[in-house]
Amino acid sequence: MNIPQSNLPRIVIIGGGFAGIAIAKKLRNKNVQVVLLDKHNYHTFQPLLYQVATGGLEAGSIAYPIRKVIQEYKDFYFRLTSVKEIDTKNQKIISEIGDLHYDYLVIATGSKTNYFGNKEIERNSMAMKTIPQSLNIRSLILENFEQAVLTKDVADKNSLINFVLVGAGPTGVELAGALAEMKKAILQKDYPDLDVSKMEINLVQSGDRILNTMSEKSSKAAEEFLLSLGVKIWKNVRVTNYDGRTISTNSTLTFETATVIWTAGVQGAAIAGLDAKSLIEKVERIRVNQYNQVAGYDNIFAIGDIASMETDKYPQGHPMMAQPALQQGDLLGENLIKLIQNQPLKPFEYNDKGSMATIGRNKAVVDLPKYHFNGVFAWFVWMFVHLFSLIGFKNRAVVFLNWVYNYIRFDREGRLIIRPYKKKSFTTFTSDEI
Amino acid sequence: MNIPQSNLPRIVIIGGGFAGIAIAKKLRNKNVQVVLLDKHNYHTFQPLLYQVATGGLEAGSIAYPIRKVIQEYKDFYFRLTSVKEIDTKNQKIISEIGDLHYDYLVIATGSKTNYFGNKEIERNSMAMKTIPQSLNIRSLILENFEQAVLTKDVADKNSLINFVLVGAGPTGVELAGALAEMKKAILQKDYPDLDVSKMEINLVQSGDRILNTMSEKSSKAAEEFLLSLGVKIWKNVRVTNYDGRTISTNSTLTFETATVIWTAGVQGAAIAGLDAKSLIEKVERIRVNQYNQVAGYDNIFAIGDIASMETDKYPQGHPMMAQPALQQGDLLGENLIKLIQNQPLKPFEYNDKGSMATIGRNKAVVDLPKYHFNGVFAWFVWMFVHLFSLIGFKNRAVVFLNWVYNYIRFDREGRLIIRPYKKKSFTTFTSDEI
């Protein structure tokens, strides 16, 4: 990997998400050599991916170059690569671009979509965990509409403009709301030769309420907001398969649709090589102690979504979202320096600042630890928090400008099929009329 | 194509570039049925492609949804498709999504890169005529740098950061300047573990001056600007081949490089089916009379880059740039309505408003018909003209914001490899150090 040898201890960080960037910032100029690895050369602000998918924001506005973050850090290296395996015996990682020795290893690989083993769903549905995936969803929505315009068969036409979102966590709910607004703001205006009122947005949830990690009050408010936007909500329905045309469920209910967006589950993005005992089955997260140290290893740590720290309050580990990742990254940065200096470490304690979700124009729900509210004020709080969580002044300015424009004009200009999503053709149509 | 039959005359426009959009606007609510076809669902503002390629602007800022342009036009249809052939005998076009009858056909397909028949150059070099191509160039530049960081072989390393631009028209010159600024603004800061001062930008031109369609004064000024930015200019050098590693020329001069950007020529993007007599060989443009009527046909017209109207002042047709396209689109829109109403047509006369090119920060050259100037004021004129030529208020605002940011901060944030450019591996390196 062409990293210079030095007398400084080498800390290797795998992943430049919220956790990885947080620890990188803490290790700035701390007399250690740091190597940060990621398969993308940018950090992704995942909470706004759904706005990229629905044309409200450009991809560049929610991505930030990793090399720019560490530009002025001493003894800091970035390498663009995917890590294949950890060789704990020889203290090295094995990557696409070669091996690298570590003194301390920080695994911050985050999470990936969980299909619960169903390969057919994985093959036929869309996920939304990365920017390219969001752009694929955007392209597919628009391609479906272009195809629907051409399609004479009514069943095919309806399938093309029927969208089914599986999983009603924050991602599914926010995407459902954004799709409903996209219908009004763009699609009804852009496709006058199509009956866009037939477009359906179906949100399917296996549990008995949406946003089930939030308060009941917020669940209820979010449900009302979605219904007012025309989203159909299906609770207590478990999707069992999707063959590319038809969704089957655990009841007699089925959906005919060309587009399934799967947000029903996440699992840790684990890497091969760790002792099986340190990996939690099914969720694929890595078991860590209160210092984020991986069970069984002195010099390997895991932070963020991939790490599962089982505490009294969080027996299944902390929620897989930005806040625990940021806080663990911050603390581990400080603890690693302490560890190197033989000072006592500080145990992690999660400071739950609350959670929120936006459903649409003037519509959001916010859960603070002791207070839950929703509506216009919640929506402003949501915007404010997200705007200031973005890295980079310019991204903030461009996102703000887009939001103001979209709000005032009831419009979204990002309806561009720049990279077509090459889907297996859903309908084959012969158009012989002239 | 599912276009309703009507009693109105049907005008089919192929292409939504400057010419196609100009005529579409003129045909708004004119008691004709209009079908606009394009292989992209957006209009591209080509003069700023080079800024997308070098990370200064996001793709979305220079693209505009075609359906939005025609959103409120009556009897107007857009279809996303590529036209394969014109069947003049049966008055229909044959496309990927079916056939379509026309009463009047307007060919506005623009131009494409001309490799003068050299398939090896075509295969190994990059073109910059579309947004996806510009994004490919951006990805490749950054991928080359990521690879150079890993490469120990000095010759390979130098090849990876040696950029050769063939053709010194406005596109080549503007791209060379932007690359030189990218080197300073981004690459030298982002790659501290690489000797970026070794990065070369070579601009190769077969003629004896750069910008040879502009005034000699502007050529000279542009050359001085480029030299001050560190660009190497090679005049009177004709590139004869590029095998993916080495450029050979008509002299003993060769270049070792992983990246060739080919802006040495354009040709019309012709469509099969027209009489051979109406097509001009080599440049592939369509011969039209002073009403943009294709030679030999009453109801087929061509406008913009694809059209060649041979006049005393322009014996080879008008220059292939935005201004003639816009003006021909405007006039043909009016003339078609006159034709339908049996009124006399107005012949086209090109109003040359001048031309300009920007080389970098505070550096541009402007040729007005009777006055040539360059420097800071020319740069402001260039920015002003381009900003106000963009379609859409939001695009203008976002581009302006980016330019201000880039200017003040000496930075460009668009250094994102969102869609990797899958190049055949230039170097194979084994990295066995750990």
Side-chain angles (χ1 to χ4, degrees):
Chain A
M1 288 200 193
N2 228 356
I3 306 285
Q5 302 284 355
S6 80
N7 294 325
L8 301 173
R10 181 186 285 167
I11 301 173
V12 175
I13 305 167
I14 312 176
F18 285 118
I21 295 293
I23 188 170
K25 284 183 175 173
K26 285 286 174 180
L27 294 175
R28 172 184 193 166
N29 303 347
K30 282 286 188 295
N31 225 23
V32 288
Q33 187 190 61
V34 182
V35 183
L36 176 56
L37 310 171
D38 198 288
K39 61 187 173 202
H40 294 125
N41 78 336
Y42 52 86
H43 166 78
T44 302
F45 190 74
Q46 291 186 330
L48 292 177
L49 282 175
Y50 78 97
Q51 296 206 6
V52 171
T54 50
L57 292 176
E58 283 310 305
S61 312
I62 67 159
Y64 197 83
I66 292 177
R67 284 192 178 273
K68 179 159 176 180
V69 176
I70 62 164
Q71 214 175 52
E72 285 165 9
Y73 296 8
K74 246 190 87 185
D75 296 310
F76 241 90
Y77 298 87
F78 171 74
R79 291 294 180 268
L80 182 68
T81 189
S82 234
V83 175
K84 292 187 287 191
E85 200 180 333
I86 303 165
D87 178 352
T88 58
K89 198 177 276 176
N90 297 304
Q91 267 183 240
K92 65 177 188 177
I93 59 106
I94 298 161
S95 88
E96 284 173 344
I97 57 169
D99 302 349
L100 185 71
H101 171 82
Y102 59 81
D103 295 309
Y104 301 91
L105 179 64
V106 178
I107 306 172
T109 46
S111 54
K112 59 181 187 181
T113 305
N114 190 349
Y115 299 94
F116 307 105
N118 190 317
K119 292 282 172 204
E120 202 163 359
I121 292 177
E122 184 170 352
R123 194 164 52 242
N124 293 313
S125 69
M126 311 292 286
M128 198 182 68
K129 290 287 290 177
T130 68
I131 286 179
Q133 286 174 343
S134 303
L135 291 172
N136 283 345
I137 291 176
R138 183 201 285 194
S139 290
L140 181 61
I141 295 169
L142 297 165
E143 285 164 17
N144 281 349
F145 269 79
E146 293 296 338
Q147 206 176 333
V149 164
L150 304 172
T151 305
K152 286 181 174 170
D153 181 274
V154 177
D156 281 353
K157 201 188 267 275
N158 289 342
S159 275
L160 283 163
I161 60 173
N162 181 14
F163 295 84
V164 181
L165 283 55
V166 187
T171 308
V173 166
E174 294 191 318
L175 187 60
L179 264 173
E181 296 211 320
M182 191 186 186
K183 176 179 173 180
K184 275 191 218 166
I186 302 181
L187 301 167
Q188 282 187 335
K189 295 181 205 158
D190 270 7
Y191 294 88
D193 44 342
L194 196 68
D195 183 1
V196 178
S197 71
K198 290 241 161 55
M199 171 180 175
E200 282 188 17
I201 300 144
N202 291 289
L203 182 63
V204 183
Q205 160 77 349
S206 60
D208 61 356
R209 65 180 175 109
I210 67 169
L211 293 180
N212 63 14
T213 57
M214 291 187 72
S215 66
E216 296 216 11
K217 184 182 171 187
S218 291
S219 292
K220 223 178 143 198
E223 188 166 334
E224 277 162 26
F225 287 147
L226 284 175
L227 293 173
S228 75
L229 287 168
V231 174
K232 293 188 183 176
I233 300 173
W234 307 86
K235 290 180 286 193
N236 298 308
V237 172
R238 185 179 296 277
V239 168
T240 52
N241 206 6
Y242 174 56
D243 63 7
R245 276 202 156 255
T246 308
I247 288 183
S248 43
T249 70
N250 59 345
S251 72
T252 52
L253 186 72
T254 59
F255 298 88
E256 296 294 314
T257 177
T259 316
V260 173
I261 302 170
W262 185 263
T263 67
V266 287
Q267 60 185 358
I271 302 178
L274 289 184
D275 190 290
K277 273 180 288 185
S278 62
L279 207 69
I280 302 167
E281 268 178 48
K282 285 185 184 166
V283 293
E284 298 282 308
R285 292 173 86 181
I286 297 172
R287 203 168 266 131
V288 296
N289 67 14
Q290 57 191 339
Y291 307 107
N292 282 94
Q293 207 163 22
V294 176
Y297 303 95
D298 288 338
N299 59 349
I300 304 182
F301 300 82
I303 50 178
D305 283 3
I306 185 73
S308 179
M309 188 188 295
E310 292 163 16
T311 64
D312 289 345
K313 207 173 162 198
Y314 298 97
Q316 316 249 323
H318 297 102
M320 293 165 86
M321 43 195 260
Q323 275 303 320
L326 288 166
Q327 294 176 22
Q328 289 177 0
D330 278 348
L331 182 66
L332 182 60
E334 291 165 16
N335 274 339
L336 277 182
I337 301 304
K338 286 180 181 164
L339 186 67
I340 290 166
Q341 294 170 348
N342 280 317
Q343 291 170 15
L345 307 188
K346 200 181 144 195
F348 179 74
E349 200 153 336
Y350 177 43
N351 173 15
D352 182 3
K353 294 182 180 165
S355 58
M356 54 180 96
T358 191
I359 291 90
R361 196 179 186 79
N362 300 334
K363 294 181 181 72
V365 293
V366 174
D367 281 0
L368 298 183
K370 296 191 175 174
Y371 183 57
H372 312 146
F373 60 104
N374 54 63
V376 179
F377 180 64
W379 187 66
F380 273 101
V381 169
W382 180 93
M383 283 201 295
F384 183 85
V385 167
H386 282 76
L387 212 48
F388 284 87
S389 304
L390 277 167
I391 306 182
F393 167 77
K394 207 207 66 191
N395 280 357
R396 272 178 224 147
V398 170
V399 168
F400 180 70
L401 197 151
N402 272 283
W403 284 352
V404 169
Y405 178 87
N406 297 349
Y407 188 79
I408 295 174
R409 300 288 295 263
F410 288 83
D411 198 0
R412 292 164 195 195
E413 290 193 350
R415 50 188 115 144
L416 313 166
I417 309 175
I418 287 185
R419 304 281 185 163
Y421 175 69
K422 303 246 182 284
K423 192 173 182 268
K424 290 149 294 174
S425 185
F426 168 74
T427 49
T428 47
F429 43 89
T430 47
S431 181
D432 48 4
E433 90 280 15
I434 57 169
Chain B
M1 286 198 196
N2 229 353
I3 306 285
Q5 304 284 355
S6 80
N7 294 324
L8 302 173
R10 181 186 285 169
I11 302 173
V12 174
I13 305 168
I14 310 176
F18 286 117
I21 294 293
I23 188 171
K25 285 183 174 174
K26 285 286 175 182
L27 294 175
R28 173 183 192 167
N29 303 346
K30 283 285 188 295
N31 227 23
V32 288
Q33 187 189 63
V34 182
V35 182
L36 176 56
L37 309 171
D38 198 287
K39 61 185 173 205
H40 294 127
N41 78 336
Y42 52 86
H43 166 78
T44 302
F45 190 76
Q46 291 186 331
L48 292 177
L49 282 175
Y50 77 96
Q51 295 206 6
V52 171
T54 51
L57 292 175
E58 282 310 304
S61 312
I62 67 160
Y64 198 82
I66 292 177
R67 283 192 179 272
K68 180 160 176 178
V69 175
I70 63 165
Q71 215 175 54
E72 285 164 9
Y73 296 9
K74 247 190 86 185
D75 296 311
F76 241 88
Y77 298 87
F78 171 75
R79 290 294 182 265
L80 182 68
T81 189
S82 232
V83 174
K84 293 187 287 192
E85 200 180 334
I86 303 165
D87 177 351
T88 58
K89 198 177 277 174
N90 298 302
Q91 268 184 240
K92 65 176 187 177
I93 60 106
I94 297 162
S95 87
E96 284 173 345
I97 56 168
D99 303 349
L100 186 71
H101 171 82
Y102 59 81
D103 295 308
Y104 301 92
L105 180 64
V106 178
I107 306 172
T109 46
S111 54
K112 59 180 186 180
T113 305
N114 190 348
Y115 300 94
F116 307 105
N118 189 318
K119 291 284 171 201
E120 203 164 358
I121 292 177
E122 184 171 353
R123 196 166 48 243
N124 293 314
S125 69
M126 311 291 287
M128 199 181 66
K129 290 287 290 177
T130 68
I131 285 180
Q133 286 174 343
S134 304
L135 291 172
N136 283 344
I137 291 176
R138 183 201 287 192
S139 289
L140 182 60
I141 295 169
L142 297 165
E143 284 164 18
N144 281 349
F145 269 81
E146 294 296 337
Q147 207 175 333
V149 164
L150 303 173
T151 303
K152 288 182 172 169
D153 183 274
V154 177
D156 282 353
K157 202 188 265 277
N158 288 343
S159 274
L160 282 164
I161 59 174
N162 181 14
F163 296 83
V164 181
L165 282 54
V166 186
T171 308
V173 166
E174 295 191 317
L175 187 60
L179 264 173
E181 295 210 321
M182 191 185 185
K183 176 179 173 179
K184 273 191 219 167
I186 302 181
L187 300 167
Q188 281 185 336
K189 295 180 205 159
D190 271 6
Y191 294 89
D193 44 342
L194 197 68
D195 183 2
V196 178
S197 70
K198 291 242 160 53
M199 172 181 174
E200 281 188 20
I201 300 144
N202 290 289
L203 183 63
V204 183
Q205 160 77 348
S206 60
D208 61 357
R209 66 179 176 108
I210 67 170
L211 293 180
N212 62 13
T213 57
M214 292 188 71
S215 66
E216 295 216 15
K217 183 182 170 188
S218 291
S219 292
K220 221 177 146 198
E223 188 166 334
E224 277 162 25
F225 287 147
L226 284 175
L227 292 174
S228 74
L229 287 169
V231 174
K232 294 186 183 177
I233 300 174
W234 306 86
K235 289 180 285 191
N236 297 309
V237 172
R238 188 179 294 277
V239 168
T240 52
N241 206 4
Y242 174 54
D243 62 8
R245 277 202 154 256
T246 309
I247 290 183
S248 42
T249 70
N250 60 345
S251 73
T252 53
L253 187 72
T254 60
F255 298 88
E256 296 294 315
T257 177
T259 316
V260 172
I261 302 170
W262 186 263
T263 66
V266 286
Q267 61 185 357
I271 302 179
L274 289 184
D275 190 289
K277 272 181 289 188
S278 61
L279 206 69
I280 301 166
E281 267 179 50
K282 284 186 184 166
V283 294
E284 299 283 309
R285 293 173 87 182
I286 297 171
R287 204 168 265 130
V288 296
N289 68 13
Q290 57 192 340
Y291 308 107
N292 283 95
Q293 207 162 24
V294 175
Y297 302 95
D298 287 338
N299 59 349
I300 305 182
F301 300 82
I303 50 178
D305 283 2
I306 185 72
S308 179
M309 188 188 294
E310 292 162 13
T311 63
D312 289 347
K313 204 171 163 200
Y314 299 96
Q316 317 249 322
H318 297 102
M320 293 163 87
M321 44 196 260
Q323 274 303 318
L326 288 166
Q327 293 176 25
Q328 290 178 359
D330 277 347
L331 182 67
L332 182 60
E334 291 165 17
N335 274 340
L336 277 183
I337 300 305
K338 286 180 180 162
L339 186 68
I340 290 165
Q341 293 169 348
N342 279 317
Q343 290 171 16
L345 307 188
K346 200 181 144 194
F348 178 74
E349 199 155 333
Y350 177 42
N351 172 15
D352 182 3
K353 294 182 182 167
S355 59
M356 52 181 96
T358 190
I359 291 90
R361 195 180 188 79
N362 300 334
K363 295 181 179 72
V365 293
V366 174
D367 281 359
L368 298 183
K370 296 191 175 175
Y371 183 57
H372 312 146
F373 60 103
N374 55 63
V376 179
F377 180 64
W379 188 66
F380 273 102
V381 169
W382 180 93
M383 282 202 293
F384 184 84
V385 167
H386 282 76
L387 213 45
F388 284 87
S389 303
L390 276 167
I391 305 182
F393 166 77
K394 207 208 67 192
N395 281 356
R396 272 179 224 149
V398 171
V399 169
F400 181 69
L401 196 151
N402 272 284
W403 284 352
V404 170
Y405 177 87
N406 297 348
Y407 187 80
I408 295 175
R409 299 289 294 265
F410 286 83
D411 199 359
R412 292 164 196 194
E413 289 193 352
R415 52 187 112 144
L416 313 167
I417 310 176
I418 287 184
R419 304 280 186 165
Y421 175 69
K422 302 248 183 280
K423 191 172 181 267
K424 289 150 294 178
S425 185
F426 167 75
T427 48
T428 47
F429 42 88
T430 48
S431 180
D432 49 5
E433 90 280 13
I434 58 169

